[in-house]
Structure formats: structure tokens, C-alpha cells
Amino acid sequence: MSTDRTPTAPAGYVQPELDVQALTEVLDGEYAEVRDLVRTNLVTYASVLEEAEELSIDAYRERVRDIVVEMAATGQTGMGFPKRYGGGGDVGASIAAFETAAFGDLSVLVKTGVQFGLFGGAILHLGTERHHDAYLPDLITGKLMGCFAMTETGHGSNVQALGTVARYDAAAQEFVITTEGDQARKDYIGNAARHGELAVVFAQLEVGGESEGVHAFVVPIRSGGQVVPGVDIEDDGRKMGLNGVDNGRIRFDGVRVPREALLNRFADVTPEGVYKSTIDNPDRRFFTMLGTLVQGRVSVGGAGVNAAKVALAVATKYALRRRQFAAGSQEEEQLLLDYGLHQRRLLPLIAQTYALHFAQDVLRAQLHNVFSGLEDDPQARRRLEARAAGTKALGTWHATRVIQECREACGGAGYLAVNRFAALKADSDIFTTFEGDNHVLLQLVAKGLLTDYASEFEDLDQLGMVRYVTGLAVETVIEKTSAHKLLERVRDLLPGGDEWDQEAGLLDSEYQLAMLRYREEHMLAGVARRLKAGVDRKGDPGAVFSEVQDHVIAVAHAHVERLVLEAFVEKMRTLPEGGNKVALGLLCDLYALSTIEADRAWFMEHGRLTVQRSKAITREVTDLCRKVRPLAGGLVDAWGVPSAMLRAPALVG
């Protein structure tokens, strides 16, 4: 019997009772204590939200630096470093702390990320004991401030093509760091313009006239507050946002550093000038080095989701107190959130935020397991890198979309700087770019899908990936992916045989997952076929890949949406029965069906949705919004955003 009828709440439908405190405990998970420490610190320094607009740019930068150092003294920022150097020895806790800090001023957040995540993470993961002993104790306290000098004016995401060069001088046993032209200057480097004393500089290593690829070096850029000889630093000036972070440009004119300045976990140069590495293949060596820095992508994706929570908390609270127009003959005007359109604007975004939160939980656990040595499997590391790339892309795009929608949903009041949307928009916009442009990151996701994270993963550049895929039968590409196997399993669970998508209930999570898995599998097969067809026509592999790039991005996006829904469904299965589980079930259904609805054209084009069933999904989404509406206030309260961080007096009181 078809379910394509107008969905209505059953006569016996009972609105679930929400236990907000218990839901917060579910969301905070094992890191509740860590998150509460961060919340306390955010409230302590809440004045920075006003100071960001009142202080001069120089004074604001100094204020941000002071707050970062003072927060470091509480242990908040050092949780991912080894205990022997004063850290907390818990990678997962460090990510949870960073995510939670995104409720507050984002200049403070990014300054923290630069100092402890990028600069500190490079020293920790690329260096060896001599670097750890020399730098980590003072780095962790904020006494030693540093930069992560990777990006160049002419090379952003293409790190392998960096222009800065480090030549080894065997006679002096020194590396000579040189900026080869304006395109090779280090640019947009946080901590560079004012506070950094050291920089981890990524440069092309040359030993005996031979290029060994990109390596990282510890290079002094200031001494006693003064820029050292051979280094030229220029302030990047005002930006769209994050003006509490001192971004700058750095040039090196024959700067000499000792041989020990090379961060030598994966490669070293002997005093005589012999290059040695435990990883023979240069591409694999490069990707292994960059893979150790995946923590930054995990952090930024989680920060984007939490910035979205702030915006949604403000917009939802405003919609629960602001009245506009009388609905019918009664005298009192109607609350904004009682309007169906307003529900449609905000409530699916709340559902998606919950979904991304649980997906971030899975990713954080994977990161912790890999970096703590609990999962010491090369494939696990590759899956982590791809999942981090995809989750970062969706999380930061979500933040940008949510903040804009919430600003609009708060009308003219949302445009006032006092109500924080101006700061949220300006400060979070760059999240889609740093730690990797989102479109470039999704190509990394697709690479993992097309190669099944094969042992050749690190060796394959774009052309190598095309050749790898076209060397396989299309069926082999599909069979290698878990999506295919999972889809077969799900089809067995659903009624209707090949008509599974027509007979299953819309609110059946197995149906929802099967739809997203089918889309992913079909897109993946399509990309593989197009790549093979292009090469069979004797097309240049680079040109062939360029032609299918839109398809590549689409399959990666579909893959990550499937992972997000899986994370939500799996979380639902672990919850005890009760009102909170029912409420989260509504959100899970709302996320799944609104995701299908948003891409209904694809599903209809590919025979997975009839017109009638497509309409039924739209009616179901609208009905779910009505059911979520009475819970909305509690659902945003459960995120635990400190009221001082909402800072929207004209909107939330």
C-alpha cells in the first residue's frame, strides 16, 4: 500500500518532553568537563565581543593575544600536547575545546588555532625530540608565539608547488631560506605581522643541487620584538573579519638556520649533505607530512558548526518572542516561529546542525584513535584525511549559509552590529577557504572514493588518479566502495525488491539511508564511466579530469551527506528511550528528508522519486517542522551557548 498521501500527525501523537540538561550531556559527550571549562573562560572574557568593535586594530590585536595567553594558563589550549611538556595528552579533548571556543570571539579562536594547532601542531607532529624539548614548554604557555608559514601569494592549496627554497650549505651545515619572487612570499600568515617570534616555514628543500620536495623548517623571524636581518614582514592590513589576528606577509632573503632547524620526523640531512628519509617515494612522503596536520581541518569544520549554533540560537530565540501581523481576526500578532515559512527557514537548519554535530563526533573519535596510536593502519589514516576534508567543507559551508539565513530571519535588527551577526558573518566567512578551499578538499574526498584509499593513495596526483581509475573496470571501482555493499544490505531490509524506494515508509531510516547511498553509488559509477570514456578517446588525463570536475565534486558532496546521516542514525540507536530520543528522531527525519528534497530533481531524473512521492516528502518535511516547532527553544538551549556569547540584546533580551 502506497504511503504517498498527505502525512498528518496521528490522532494519538504526543509531543515529546524535552530534558534540555540531559540533551546537553548527550551533545557534550565524554568531553563535558572540557567544554564547561571553555564556556567558563568564554564568559570571563565576554567583554572582547564589544572590544572588537570599540578598540583600534592594534589594541584589539593585543587584547586577543592577552586572552589567548590567559586561556592557555587554564589548560584549555594545550590539551593535545604530551603531558611531559605541560599538555593534557588528549587529542580528542583539544578538538572539543576548540569547537566550543567557537561560541566566542572568532579572532581569539583563530589566534588559538594558529598558535597551538598549526604552529604547535607542526612542531609536535613534524619535529622530533630535539624540537619538542626546545619549543613545546614555552609554546604551550604562549610565552613563545609562532607562525605556520605555508601559504604563498601564488600558491594556496597547491602546496607541492611552493616557491620558497631552502638550500643546504654543507660547509656551514646550514639551510639558506630564500623567497624566489613575489609569488613565493608567505602570505596571510597568522601571528606574522605582530607577535610571532618563530615560523615553521614550508619550503622546497635542495641538497647538493637536487630537489627533495617540500619540507618544514623552524626559522626565527623576530628577536626581542624586532624583525631579524634577512626577514621582511609586511602587515596584510584590515580584512573582512578576524581583525584581532595579525596576518602578514613574510619574505626571506638568504636567511640561514642551522641543520637542526629541519623538522626531521620523516626526513633528515646529514652534516655532510646526504638526504635520508624513511619514506622513499617523494609523493608519499609529502602526503604523509601533510596528513599529520589533518587536525586543523577537523578543528575548523567543528568550529563552523558551532558558529552556526550561535546564529541559530539567536534567530530562534528572536522568533519565539517577536510578533508580526495578526493571523486571523484575533488582536494579538503572531509569533514569527508560528509561521510555516519561518519554520521552514530555521528548523531544517537546526536539524542539519545536529546532524553535523554527530558527524563531527565520529570524526573527532577517528582523529583521536589515529593520532593516539589506537588505529595504526595506513588505510585508517587515509579515511580520516578524506573524512576530515569532506566534513570541513560541509560544516563551513553550512556556517556561511546558516549565518546569512539567520541574519535575514532577524530582519533589520539582525543588521545591527550590536546583535553579533555582523561579526559572525565577517569572521566565519574565511572558514570556507582556510585549511583548504572546500572545492579542492572535496576532490580529495573523491580521490579516496575512486581509489578505495588504496596503498597507492599518497602516490596519486590528479593525473595518477585518472590513470588508476581508467585502469580498472567500472564495476571494480564500484565494488571497491562500501556504498555498493551497504546498498545491497539495505535493499534486503526494505520491502518491494527493486521497487524498494516506492514501497518503503518515508520515515524509515533504512529507506532514507538507501536513497543517499543509491545517489552516491550512481554518481560514483558515472564519474568512473566518464573518466574511462575520456581516456578511451585518447584524451589527455588532465583535460579529462577537468571535464568531469563538477561530477567529481557532486559525488564527494553526496558521499559526505551520506556519512552525516549515518552518524545521526547511529547516534539515535544508542540513546535510551524517552522524550529526547523522540525529539532527536524528528530532527533526524527532518535532516534526511530535507536533504532528499533539496536534490529531488536528481532523484526524479534517475527514477528514484515519483512526482507523487516527491510531493509526499515535501508534505512530510512541513509536518516535521510543525512537530519540531514546540521543541525549538529547548533544542537550541541544549547546545549550551553561554548567554553572554549570544550578545544580541535587541533580539533575545
Side-chain angles (χ1 to χ4, degrees):
M1 183 175 176
S2 175
T3 58
D4 296 347
R5 298 192 303 269
T6 303
T8 56
Y13 174 75
V14 178
Q15 192 69 47
E17 288 285 329
L18 204 61
D19 183 335
V20 173
Q21 183 175 347
L23 185 52
T24 300
E25 291 171 3
V26 169
L27 293 167
D28 283 357
E30 63 185 299
Y31 297 114
E33 190 174 334
V34 169
R35 295 186 191 278
D36 282 340
L37 167 64
V38 177
R39 289 183 179 109
T40 298
N41 284 341
L42 289 175
V43 173
T44 299
Y45 298 103
S47 62
V48 72
L49 297 176
E50 281 79 31
E51 292 160 351
E53 293 159 7
E54 297 166 355
L55 296 175
S56 68
I57 189 169
D58 289 335
Y60 179 34
R61 287 173 170 180
E62 294 305 314
R63 178 64 175 142
V64 166
R65 180 193 184 281
D66 290 345
I67 291 173
V68 168
V69 173
E70 289 171 35
M71 283 184 170
T74 71
Q76 172 185 322
T77 59
M79 293 176 181
F81 293 100
K83 291 182 178 179
R84 62 178 289 199
Y85 296 108
D90 190 331
V91 177
S94 72
I95 303 296
F98 191 84
E99 293 164 358
T100 310
F103 289 152
D105 178 79
L106 295 182
S107 282
V108 173
L109 178 84
V110 171
K111 185 89 166 178
T112 299
V114 168
Q115 169 69 14
F116 305 102
L118 294 178
F119 173 60
I123 298 285
L124 176 63
H125 296 301
L126 298 180
T128 52
E129 191 171 1
R130 71 188 186 208
H131 305 106
H132 300 167
D133 292 344
Y135 305 122
L136 288 185
D138 285 347
L139 183 160
I140 291 169
T141 64
K143 180 180 178 182
L144 172 66
M145 301 292 280
C147 311
F148 183 82
M150 177 183 281
T151 302
E152 295 178 354
T153 304
H155 295 98
S157 297
N158 188 6
V159 178
Q160 276 182 294
L162 293 178
T164 303
V165 178
R167 296 182 176 90
Y168 185 63
D169 179 350
Q173 295 188 22
E174 293 175 330
F175 294 103
V176 184
I177 314 290
T178 304
T179 301
E180 305 264 331
D182 278 350
Q183 294 302 299
R185 69 183 179 185
K186 299 299 178 182
D187 213 342
Y188 327 118
I189 309 300
N191 269 355
R194 176 67 64 89
H195 297 132
E197 297 175 52
L198 293 179
V200 171
V201 178
F202 288 80
Q204 301 286 354
L205 171 61
E206 288 186 9
V207 182
E210 293 289 320
S211 177
E212 302 293 352
V214 173
H215 291 65
F217 304 81
V218 180
V219 183
I221 59 173
R222 283 186 180 83
S223 178
Q226 300 300 310
V227 177
V228 301
V231 175
D232 180 68
I233 298 178
E234 177 185 346
D235 198 319
D236 271 318
R238 282 194 173 272
K239 309 178 290 287
M240 278 179 62
L242 299 178
N243 283 304
V245 182
D246 52 322
N247 294 84
R249 303 183 179 104
I250 313 175
R251 293 180 179 83
F252 302 96
D253 183 11
V255 175
R256 288 179 171 268
V257 294
R259 185 181 66 88
E260 293 77 15
L262 173 66
L263 292 176
N264 63 331
R265 178 180 174 187
F266 298 108
D268 209 346
V269 176
T270 68
E272 299 76 24
V274 178
Y275 179 80
K276 294 185 175 181
S277 175
T278 55
I279 306 172
D280 292 334
N281 184 289
D283 287 330
R284 185 170 296 170
R285 185 166 59 239
F286 171 76
F287 282 108
T288 300
M289 289 181 189
L290 287 198
T292 61
L293 306 175
V294 70
Q295 187 170 328
R297 286 174 184 162
V298 178
S299 298
V300 171
V305 174
N306 274 17
K309 290 177 186 175
V310 177
L312 279 165
V314 172
T316 302
K317 289 174 181 294
Y318 181 64
L320 289 169
R321 67 194 292 262
R322 175 77 156 90
R323 295 181 180 275
Q324 187 84 297
F325 301 110
S329 58
Q330 73 265 32
E331 293 182 9
E332 188 172 37
E333 293 185 296
Q334 184 164 312
L335 285 171
L336 291 183
L337 203 55
D338 286 336
Y339 286 101
L341 178 59
H342 216 77
Q343 293 171 15
R344 269 283 193 156
R345 295 176 74 178
L346 296 183
L347 302 185
L349 295 179
I350 291 176
Q352 188 175 0
T353 303
Y354 268 82
L356 286 165
H357 176 103
F358 294 127
Q360 181 73 10
D361 283 348
V362 173
L363 178 59
R364 188 191 321 105
Q366 286 184 348
L367 178 82
H368 182 83
N369 290 343
V370 168
F371 276 67
S372 301
L374 301 175
E375 266 190 280
D376 196 18
D377 169 19
Q379 274 212 324
R381 185 176 285 274
R382 295 180 200 113
R383 285 193 297 270
L384 168 65
E385 290 169 18
R387 188 167 190 142
T391 306
K392 184 267 180 183
L394 264 62
T396 55
W397 271 329
H398 178 68
T400 299
R401 176 192 171 197
V402 163
I403 292 166
Q404 177 63 28
E405 190 65 54
C406 290
R407 202 295 299 157
E408 292 183 34
C410 291
Y415 198 64
L416 300 178
V418 70
N419 287 323
R420 206 172 170 207
F421 281 115
L424 278 175
K425 276 174 63 71
D427 291 344
S428 68
D429 194 78
I430 191 64
F431 284 19
T432 60
T433 300
F434 63 35
E435 294 302 305
D437 173 274
N438 284 352
H439 290 92
V440 175
L441 292 183
L442 287 181
Q443 291 180 64
L444 175 65
V445 175
K447 175 183 170 185
L449 290 174
L450 287 164
T451 63
D452 189 35
Y453 313 101
S455 58
E456 298 89 347
F457 183 80
E458 290 94 343
D459 307 348
L460 298 176
D461 58 12
Q462 184 173 292
L463 303 187
M465 181 180 75
V466 174
R467 293 189 180 103
Y468 179 90
V469 172
T470 54
L472 302 173
V474 173
E475 292 73 22
T476 305
V477 175
I478 303 308
E479 194 60 46
K480 277 174 160 288
T481 70
S482 60
H484 180 76
K485 303 182 191 75
L486 289 169
L487 186 53
E488 290 302 321
R489 179 177 65 81
V490 169
R491 281 176 176 159
D492 291 341
L493 295 174
L494 292 170
D498 287 338
E499 299 299 311
W500 56 268
D501 54 320
Q502 304 305 316
E503 298 298 326
L506 296 180
L507 301 182
D508 184 339
S509 62
E510 295 293 354
Y511 161 74
Q512 297 160 0
L513 285 166
M515 288 288 277
L516 297 197
R517 287 168 180 154
Y518 176 85
R519 179 181 61 165
E520 176 187 345
E521 176 187 322
H522 196 286
M523 285 183 171
L524 189 60
V527 169
R529 289 190 183 96
R530 289 181 68 188
L531 287 173
K532 287 181 74 68
V535 172
D536 289 346
R537 291 194 307 267
K538 309 301 182 187
D540 174 76
V544 170
F545 182 82
S546 183
E547 288 171 6
V548 304
Q549 226 166 353
D550 58 333
H551 205 153
V552 166
I553 297 298
V555 70
H557 201 286
H559 170 70
V560 182
E561 284 190 331
R562 190 258 294 176
L563 292 179
V564 171
L565 179 57
E566 280 185 343
F568 204 158
V569 171
E570 287 301 316
K571 186 66 180 182
M572 285 293 305
R573 289 171 178 162
T574 68
L575 296 176
E577 298 301 323
N580 284 356
K581 183 169 185 173
V582 174
L584 287 180
L586 295 173
L587 289 182
C588 191
D589 287 335
L590 181 54
Y591 168 68
L593 293 183
S594 58
T595 299
I596 295 169
E597 182 189 41
D599 206 13
R600 71 168 84 185
W602 188 94
F603 288 107
M604 293 177 78
E605 287 172 356
H606 294 84
R608 288 350 292 190
L609 272 185
T610 63
V611 171
Q612 293 79 10
R613 198 162 176 84
S614 175
K615 290 179 178 179
I617 285 176
T618 292
R619 291 193 295 269
E620 193 69 68
V621 169
T622 299
D623 190 56
L624 285 165
C625 285
R626 284 197 294 266
K627 291 176 180 176
V628 171
R629 152 67 184 92
L631 306 169
L635 289 170
V636 299
D637 284 343
W639 290 329
V641 183
S643 58
M645 295 302 98
L646 300 180
R647 206 204 63 152
L651 297 175
V652 302

